[in-house]
Amino acid sequence: MTSIKQQDDLSISEDGAVQKLAEKDSARLIVVSDSHGSTNIIISIIKRFGYNADALCFCGDGIRDLLDSIKNYSADSWLMKLLPNVIMFVRGNNDNSHYNMITDKHIEIKVPVEQIFTAAGKRIYITHGHSHDVYYGTKQLVTTATEKNANLVFYGHTHISNLQHKHGITILNPGSCSLPRSGLPLTFAVVDLKKDSDKAECSYYEIGWNQNGDLEFIPYNPSTKEINLLW
């Protein structure tokens, strides 16, 4: 990314980048959610995975962290190149509808409750999930995704990594990169899409620290079962 700008579709992206993403033969998306104050983890994820990613998707509850990460990168021309050209994000139940971001200029950022965009020919629906009763499962998400003709759904809120395939729709929760539940590790996901394939390649990573205290990312297998936190 070369500059910070919020487009009419409410993405933070370069001019024309969202359309280019839709038309690409293949695309890589970083999916992160529920950072709850852990700005440094988002910065580290971008530093490690941003160089070959086409988009960063943030599923809510930590918009301030996301914007502070973008601000951090915008201050360094080399780091700025690591920011994906498209950043999609949605409002969580702990986020505000508007934020101010101060870089070399003042930018007012509007935060949508949901986003729909296309990557490598696949329609993707992003929501936080609290308005879809995801504590009880993904039934409402599937209904909404079907109504919106989405191929994939990205959501958060449960703080539990989860990957399901229902009625031809991939339903992905990257888990929380800061405050996971049920004894799970800190996680996020990377999704690879190809225009000529219906299959989404979804890779999860556990966030940990080695013996030297350095951050490391370890491949992780999420649950593929329906999640119900109120059982």
Side-chain angles (χ1 to χ4, degrees):
M1 188 177 289
T2 58
S3 63
I4 305 300
K5 179 180 180 181
Q6 186 167 35
Q7 303 288 345
D8 291 340
D9 61 11
L10 301 188
S11 67
I12 294 176
S13 59
E14 296 185 344
D15 292 341
V18 173
Q19 183 60 36
K20 290 179 181 177
L21 178 62
E23 297 171 352
K24 286 177 68 70
D25 291 331
S26 62
R28 170 164 288 186
L29 318 176
I30 304 170
V31 189
V32 184
S33 190
D34 294 277
S35 56
H36 290 281
S38 295
T39 302
N40 287 340
I41 287 181
I42 297 179
I43 290 173
S44 296
I45 291 171
I46 295 172
K47 185 176 291 186
R48 169 63 177 82
F49 293 88
Y51 73 98
N52 66 348
D54 299 289
L56 170 64
C57 304
F58 189 85
C59 302
D61 273 5
I63 295 298
R64 180 77 271 170
D65 308 327
L66 174 67
L67 297 181
D68 284 347
S69 300
I70 295 171
K71 178 181 176 181
N72 177 283
Y73 274 78
S74 70
D76 186 299
S77 59
W78 182 83
L79 288 176
M80 190 69 170
K81 296 177 181 178
L82 297 179
L83 277 177
N85 288 333
V86 175
I87 299 175
M88 292 285 181
F89 52 95
V90 294
R91 189 191 320 163
N93 53 298
N94 291 298
D95 293 320
N96 298 326
S97 60
H98 293 74
Y99 287 87
N100 293 317
M101 184 164 62
I102 310 297
T103 57
D104 56 342
K105 57 183 177 180
H106 173 271
I107 308 172
E108 183 181 10
I109 301 295
K110 299 177 182 177
V111 188
V113 296
E114 61 182 16
Q115 279 279 43
I116 299 177
F117 70 104
T118 301
K122 308 298 185 293
R123 279 176 62 84
I124 301 164
Y125 174 61
I126 309 178
T127 183
H128 184 58
H130 60 296
S131 60
H132 290 81
D133 287 336
V134 293
Y135 280 2
Y136 293 95
T138 57
K139 182 177 180 180
Q140 287 193 31
L141 281 176
V142 172
T143 298
T144 301
T146 300
E147 292 171 350
K148 296 181 180 295
N149 295 318
N151 304 108
L152 299 95
V153 178
F154 299 157
Y155 75 104
H157 191 53
T158 65
H159 294 215
I160 294 178
S161 54
N162 190 245
L163 179 64
Q164 298 183 52
H165 303 280
K166 294 183 176 180
H167 308 291
I169 300 170
T170 296
I171 308 156
L172 182 151
N173 188 324
S176 171
C177 67
S178 174
L179 297 170
R181 292 189 175 113
S182 300
L184 296 175
L186 287 64
T187 56
F188 67 99
V190 175
V191 178
D192 288 296
L193 303 172
K194 293 183 179 180
K195 184 176 287 186
D196 60 0
S197 174
D198 292 333
K199 184 178 180 181
E201 297 288 344
C202 303
S203 303
Y204 280 70
Y205 292 90
E206 174 182 344
I207 304 166
W209 287 263
N210 61 26
Q211 293 180 343
N212 297 321
D214 298 322
L215 202 64
E216 60 182 4
F217 304 104
I218 306 161
Y220 178 77
N221 293 319
S223 170
T224 57
K225 298 179 180 179
E226 186 68 89
I227 300 296
N228 191 322
L229 292 178
L230 302 180
W231 280 342

